[in-house]
Every structure is written in structure tokens, then in C-alpha cells.
Amino acid sequence: MTRTPMDPQKPAIVPPEDELDAQTVTEYLRLHPDFLLKHPDAVLALRPPEREIGEGVVDLQTFLLDRIRAEVTRLKATQRKLIATSRVNLQNQSRVHAAVLALLTATSCDHLLQIITTDLAVVLDVDVVTLCVEANGTMLPGARAAGIVRLPPHAVDGFMGPNREVMLRSITEGDASIFGAAASLVRSDALVRLRVSSRAPAGLVAFGSRREGAFHPGQGTELLGFLARALEFSIRTWLDLPA
């Protein structure tokens, strides 16, 4: 049967698979020269023709195609990783925003402590959250000690170092001096320094997860830093403390 030449101004119509033949595929590719640019996966299925080029002559065609295939595979893996990371970042951002909104619902200082030590664990999808304050003779002025973990003087610097604001650890067991009875659940944690007021002792908020690697040093800390500033402001406001 004689084929009618395809009009380049009209879109190509691809017949069902059982009607495809070499001429149809060739005509389609001729009308769509950017096909491989839009569908790089197709390159992985191609096999270059063998060529007789003489003894002692190196044919780079197969080598170059193998490199292209490897590059396409690498780019696909990178793309999948970026997409997964973006999804996790967006999810974490939504959780931190929800946590800040939860802080704004506090109706008293005691209620705020309950939100921090109970509700935030659910909102942030961690297993335990504790608010720790160095007990330099007194606790936070006006705050009840029931919702606060007491730390010895200079303990915050001892845990984090004098200049670090956030510390992420992928560990094997939680610290009982921070997480108390829940320490046995913790397999990774995040410690965030709190500077509530010039009139308040040093403190930190600790997030613990039973999933090893849930927190690790390679993670970004901007969202945790933002949450810490919101915590500082909320505590300072309810206790009527200066900055």
C-alpha cells in the first residue's frame, strides 16, 4: 500500500501499536525533532547501529551514548531527591506555622506551658517536647515549675556550646536531664537555645523523636530558629518581662 506523505503543518497521528512500523516512527520523529529533548528517557532504550570502521580505530559512538544514558539516570535521581526534599521542607514549614498558631491560643502562662510541653509534640510530629531553664536560684519569674525542667547553672552552654543557637543530634539514647522519664524513647533530638529576657535565666526547648535520624546535623535550622523566637515572645509576653 502506498503511503500519503504527511503534512508537516498537521499534527502527526500515531496509529495503534499493532499498526506501527518503521516508516511511521521515522515520519513522526521527523515532524518532532525535539522529541528526545522532551522525552530523554527514550534515549535509554536506543541501541546505536554497529559500524565497520577498521582495525585499530576507536568508535566513540557507543561510549558517548553510554555517557548520555548515565547522565540521564543521574539527573532523574537528582530530580527525585529534590522533589522529595521540597515536600519534606513544605511539610515541616506547615507544622512550624501550626505550632506558632497554637502558641497564640494560650489564655494564661500555665496554658502556654501546657501547649509547649504537650500540644507541640503532636503538632510537630515528635514524641516529646520539654522546656528547660537553668535554675540560678529561681525559675522564670511568675512561671510555675511544674511545666519546666530544671537545669543546673551554665548547663545550656554545656550542652550546646557558648555560641550555638540550635543543635541537631542523631543519637542512640536521650538525655535524662533534658527529657526526664521520656529519655528512653528518644533516638534523635533538637536543642534550641531560648533567650527569653535579660531578667530571665538561660533556657532551651528540646524536641525528641523515637526515629533515629529524624534530626541530624545536615538539616536546616531556620524553621526551628523561627519557632524559638515565637516561644521567647510568648513566654516574655505572659510573664510581662522586658526583652
Side-chain angles (χ1 to χ4, degrees):
M1 184 176 79
T2 304
R3 291 183 175 272
T4 303
M6 300 181 70
D7 185 349
Q9 300 302 319
K10 296 181 180 179
I13 300 177
V14 180
E17 185 176 355
D18 58 354
E19 297 182 20
L20 285 175
D21 58 24
Q23 184 176 350
T24 303
V25 173
T26 301
E27 290 174 348
Y28 181 85
L29 292 176
R30 184 178 296 114
L31 293 174
H32 299 81
D34 60 347
F35 177 81
L36 292 179
L37 293 176
K38 295 181 178 179
H39 306 277
D41 288 356
V43 175
L44 301 178
L46 296 178
R47 186 175 66 183
E50 297 180 358
R51 299 188 298 175
E52 295 291 339
I53 55 178
E55 185 178 353
V57 179
V58 178
D59 183 5
L60 295 179
Q61 178 177 259
T62 301
F63 170 76
L64 292 175
L65 184 56
D66 286 343
R67 287 194 60 179
I68 293 173
R69 287 172 171 165
E71 182 67 9
V72 170
T73 301
R74 185 188 67 81
L75 290 175
K76 286 178 63 178
T78 301
Q79 182 186 51
R80 286 193 295 266
K81 184 176 180 180
L82 288 174
I83 292 174
T85 300
S86 297
R87 287 174 177 168
V88 170
N89 288 341
L90 183 60
Q91 185 179 55
N92 289 339
Q93 179 177 299
S94 298
R95 287 172 176 165
V96 168
H97 288 170
V100 173
L101 292 176
L103 296 176
L104 296 178
T105 66
T107 56
S108 67
C109 184
D110 288 342
H111 187 202
L112 177 64
L113 292 178
Q114 176 188 332
I115 292 172
I116 295 172
T117 58
T118 304
D119 298 352
L120 290 193
V122 177
V123 174
L124 297 172
D125 190 28
V126 295
D127 292 285
V128 57
V129 178
T130 59
L131 179 62
C132 307
V133 177
E134 292 182 2
N136 299 320
T138 62
M139 295 296 287
L140 284 173
R144 296 182 181 178
I148 301 176
V149 175
R150 290 175 175 266
L151 296 177
H154 312 297
V156 175
D157 282 348
F159 285 124
M160 305 180 63
N163 300 314
R164 181 179 292 180
E165 298 297 314
V166 181
M167 183 168 67
L168 306 177
R169 302 188 294 185
S170 182
I171 57 181
T172 57
E173 187 174 349
D175 193 321
S177 63
I178 294 176
F179 295 107
S184 60
L185 295 175
V186 177
R187 291 294 175 268
S188 62
D189 63 10
L191 308 182
V192 187
R193 186 187 298 271
L194 293 178
R195 304 179 189 273
V196 174
S197 168
S198 58
R199 288 171 45 190
L204 62 84
V205 59
F207 306 94
S209 173
R210 69 178 69 216
R211 293 184 292 112
E212 188 170 349
F215 298 104
H216 57 82
Q219 289 177 317
T221 60
E222 293 83 1
L223 289 173
L224 286 175
F226 171 72
L227 179 56
R229 303 294 81 77
L231 282 168
E232 292 169 349
F233 178 81
S234 297
I235 296 171
R236 187 164 57 242
T237 299
W238 277 110
L239 298 182
D240 194 22
L241 295 171

